[in-house]
Amino acid sequence: MSLYIAVDIGGTQTRAACYPADSLKPVRLSRTTTHAADPTDQRTEPLERIQDLIASIWPKRDSVRAISVAAPGPTNPYSGVVYQAPNIPSWEDVPLRQSLQERFNVPVEVGNDANLAALCEWKFGAGHGHRHLVYLTISTGIGGGVIIDDKLLLGVHGLAAELGHTTVVYDGPVCSCGQRGHLEAVASGTALAHWVEDQLSQGSSSILPLHRRITARMISEAARKGDQLSLAALARAGCFIGCALASFLHIFNPTVVVIGGGVSRSGPLLLGPMYESMQEHVIDPHYLEDLKLTTAVFGDKAGLVGALALAHTLHP
Ligand SMILES: [Zn+2]
């Protein structure tokens, strides 16, 4: 039997799984912390840790058709170089494909995790059967992926579809990338938390505690209990995302929009205002005709299954 190995490198945790060619059920799965957990840990470099993780699930009898990796940052899928990984500061222009190919001697594919999550939802999940898909993941940051005519949109360096870094508020708050007013800077989980902390310190009443670190999950839970400040925060983020989505409809004209990431679990409290805002900002009702707006199926497995989807596509 011939197997695929999929790897999802996260900011804190890295997972690797071994899949049969015809199944989404891994036969082996293992995980490790991306960074050494303590100073006595011999394997200090994230790259070394990833290599050891792959070796630990390597099949004893079966052959490996390809290794496919979801990387957490701007990545060139043609050269297999990870340009940057926001949560792995030492990573700059890391030749991930080359180093894995040298060690394991099988074909290696590398992609950006949000792009691969889009591929995953299109091939196996909420966007299955659609030829034109826009995927947005809303968690700590905001990532995206686009499928046009059944193909993942990559661009010349594989840097296309950074949808979270679309400017929605000229001169708005500073984004994680250093620019101002990006969607991520006003509507990500981090942005939600900052906005609520700000409102609390200015005296807004809420069931959320003052002078404590607020998280998007806390906001989501408080909103479900009817907390007005939390409801307003989700509605505000929803408006920004909807406004950006209208632009994405204008640019890509998809038949399905898939929303993933932890913040999307706030459900209608976020998605309702988002849909209204998208409708309001769209320039022609035809964009909304037959448009499906849905949440992602794969949750935190999207990177891993997305890497598998890439391996399926390139090494059938
Ligand atoms: Zn940005």
Side-chain angles (χ1 to χ4, degrees):
M1 192 166 56
S2 177
L3 302 168
Y4 294 112
I5 289 185
V7 183
D8 182 21
I9 306 171
T12 49
Q13 201 180 69
T14 295
R15 289 173 295 175
C18 211
Y19 293 93
D22 57 355
S23 173
L24 297 185
K25 247 187 143 172
V27 287
R28 295 186 84 177
L29 175 76
S30 189
R31 63 188 72 209
T32 183
T33 53
T34 304
H35 303 273
D38 64 74
T40 59
D41 202 322
Q42 297 284 308
R43 298 164 308 145
T44 50
E45 286 303 312
L47 191 53
E48 219 182 328
R49 301 176 69 78
I50 292 161
Q51 290 183 342
D52 288 357
L53 182 69
I54 294 170
S56 77
I57 62 157
W58 199 267
K60 290 193 173 60
R61 286 189 301 272
D62 300 310
S63 64
V64 172
R65 203 177 287 186
I67 297 171
S68 182
V69 188
T75 296
N76 186 324
Y78 309 109
S79 63
V81 169
V82 181
Y83 290 130
Q84 270 176 50
N87 291 308
I88 313 176
S90 61
W91 273 23
E92 208 171 289
D93 295 336
V94 171
L96 188 59
R97 170 189 285 155
Q98 193 195 333
S99 68
L100 294 182
Q101 241 158 16
E102 279 168 9
R103 164 106 186 238
F104 296 103
N105 209 19
V106 296
V108 176
E109 303 299 340
V110 179
N112 163 267
D113 55 3
N115 275 352
L116 294 188
L119 194 69
C120 163
E121 293 294 338
W122 167 75
K123 203 167 168 80
F124 304 121
H128 186 71
H130 289 262
R131 295 185 60 205
H132 311 288
L133 168 148
V134 167
Y135 170 83
L136 208 59
T137 170
I138 307 156
S139 54
T140 318
I142 295 186
V146 174
I147 306 277
I148 293 291
D149 277 324
D150 285 337
K151 275 192 83 175
L152 184 64
L153 182 76
L154 290 172
V156 65
H157 300 298
L159 298 176
E162 282 290 355
L163 305 182
H165 300 285
T166 302
T167 307
V168 290
V169 189
Y170 182 75
D171 255 14
V174 177
C175 184
S176 66
C177 68
Q179 303 280 344
R180 279 188 180 275
H182 285 173
L183 181 61
E184 177 169 307
V186 291
S188 64
T190 315
L192 264 175
H194 281 163
W195 187 79
V196 165
E197 282 170 356
D198 247 26
Q199 298 297 310
L200 286 170
S201 67
Q202 285 170 36
S204 289
S205 68
S206 167
I207 59 171
L208 290 167
L210 185 62
H211 305 308
R212 257 191 57 199
R213 206 178 141 254
I214 302 292
T215 63
R217 182 182 293 222
M218 289 161 76
I219 296 167
S220 192
E221 277 165 15
R224 268 191 214 107
K225 290 177 189 152
D227 181 59
Q228 289 303 313
L229 180 65
S230 301
L231 285 166
L234 290 175
R236 181 176 176 275
C239 284
F240 283 126
I241 299 166
C243 173
L245 276 180
S247 296
F248 304 152
L249 296 190
H250 300 154
I251 301 167
F252 304 114
N253 193 14
T255 54
V256 63
V257 172
V258 181
I259 308 288
V263 180
S264 69
R265 278 180 234 131
S266 303
L269 300 178
L270 176 82
L271 303 183
M274 183 183 93
Y275 191 71
E276 268 175 40
S277 161
M278 184 177 81
Q279 271 181 313
E280 215 173 279
H281 288 94
V282 94
I283 55 168
D284 186 308
H286 288 101
Y287 286 105
L288 303 170
E289 247 172 48
D290 304 318
L291 176 72
K292 185 179 165 195
L293 183 77
T294 182
T295 47
V297 167
F298 280 95
D300 77 336
K301 287 200 181 65
L304 206 54
V305 184
L308 177 67
L310 181 69
H312 271 256
T313 308
L314 297 176
H315 303 278

